[in-house]
Amino acid sequence: DAGVTQSPTHLIKTRGQQVTLRCSPKSGHDTVSWYQQALGQGPQFIFQYYEEEERQRGNFPDRFSGHQFPNYSSELNVNALLLGDSALYLCASSLEQGRKNIQYFGAGTRLSVL
Amino acid sequence: AQSVTQLGSHVSVSEGALVLLRCNYSSSVPPYLFWYVQYPNQGLQLLLKYTSAATLVKGINGFEAEFKKSETSFHLTKPSAHMSDAAEYFCAVSLSGGSQGNLIFGKGTKLSVKP
């Protein structure tokens, strides 16, 4: 049973560029959440997708957007990259039905903005 | 607003000693509380969760945590540390449960285990 998979594992971009990160949820999961973890900090919630719609959003600017596909996989897009966007981006999946209340995390994508 | 405070960004113990990692939360409603562990270059792994059932929660790898409402605390303990426990530990709170609600994390505590 595959867990949460994220791609790519590492990425280097320059300021002003755009980036797309991808996430495949754990088998059977239908909800995907994205988090940003800056160096030395705890993860911060970006947004959550369920039924292909953004259900909740944290305190992140509109430069951060996402998408969920019919197969429940998800993308995180960041436009006009800033140096401060350098971080580990974590995807977490969970199952809405039955309120399992457990988010399973992928290994993350480490984004470096130069 | 909910928040989580982890006291001590770095804790060092000897192998075989008690592990105590502190977490205090702030929430206006009964919270769901979680402890996650992160090994280097890996994602987060759930250790245990509190969802308003028993106040003493047992998790994986011999860890447990006790929910104390009067102290708004959810400290993580393990009676005897192993070298393999060296990692970063995060306490998190959610109002409506991990699936519907987003998780709010503390800044983490890095645990070092000395031989």
Side-chain angles (χ1 to χ4, degrees):
Chain A
D1 177 21
V4 179
T5 57
Q6 293 186 243
S7 62
T9 54
H10 294 85
L11 206 49
I12 299 175
K13 292 286 188 180
T14 56
R15 279 181 300 173
Q17 285 190 310
Q18 179 263 344
V19 69
T20 297
L21 311 182
R22 295 176 175 83
C23 173
S24 292
K26 183 177 169 63
S27 178
H29 284 187
D30 56 9
T31 303
V32 173
S33 303
W34 286 92
Y35 293 81
Q36 181 195 66
Q37 186 178 15
L39 201 61
Q41 301 293 317
Q44 280 196 289
F45 176 74
I46 303 175
F47 42 53
Q48 184 179 82
Y49 276 83
Y50 173 66
E51 292 189 337
E52 302 181 48
E53 290 192 358
E54 183 182 293
R55 179 161 66 177
Q56 286 191 54
R57 189 180 183 91
N59 189 25
F60 278 80
D62 292 345
R63 297 187 298 109
F64 290 76
S65 63
H67 191 78
Q68 185 179 34
F69 299 94
N71 67 353
Y72 307 118
S73 66
S74 176
E75 287 182 350
L76 164 66
N77 301 294
V78 187
N79 294 324
L81 284 167
L82 303 174
L83 295 179
D85 295 331
S86 296
L88 180 68
Y89 288 85
L90 295 166
C91 171
S93 74
S94 53
L95 179 63
E96 174 66 19
Q97 187 178 13
R99 295 180 59 93
K100 294 298 185 181
N101 299 338
I102 297 175
Q103 293 190 15
Y104 292 83
F105 284 80
T109 294
R110 187 162 297 281
L111 173 64
S112 299
V113 182
L114 307 179
Chain B
Q2 305 162 86
S3 65
V4 173
T5 302
Q6 291 186 240
L7 297 175
S9 58
H10 197 166
V11 170
S12 182
V13 301
S14 298
E15 194 173 18
L18 171 72
V19 175
L20 171 61
L21 305 182
R22 299 178 188 274
C23 172
N24 288 89
Y25 70 91
S26 171
S27 176
S28 56
V29 297
Y32 290 78
L33 293 161
F34 306 80
W35 275 99
Y36 281 86
V37 60
Q38 186 176 36
Y39 297 99
N41 300 316
Q42 294 188 27
L44 300 169
Q45 181 183 7
L46 180 68
L47 278 177
L48 50 81
K49 63 171 183 173
Y50 167 77
T51 56
S52 75
T55 56
L56 182 62
V57 182
K58 294 189 182 300
I60 62 171
N61 301 338
F63 285 94
E64 63 181 36
E66 186 173 8
F67 173 70
K68 292 187 176 180
K69 185 178 178 181
S70 61
E71 298 177 9
T72 61
S73 69
F74 190 56
H75 301 332
L76 181 71
T77 59
K78 181 174 180 177
S80 176
H82 284 187
M83 296 296 291
S84 60
D85 294 327
E88 188 144 26
Y89 292 79
F90 293 93
C91 181
V93 64
S94 173
L95 273 184
S96 53
S99 63
Q100 283 193 316
N102 72 79
L103 294 171
I104 296 172
F105 286 87
K107 291 188 174 182
T109 298
K110 188 172 184 179
L111 175 66
S112 300
V113 182
K114 298 174 291 187

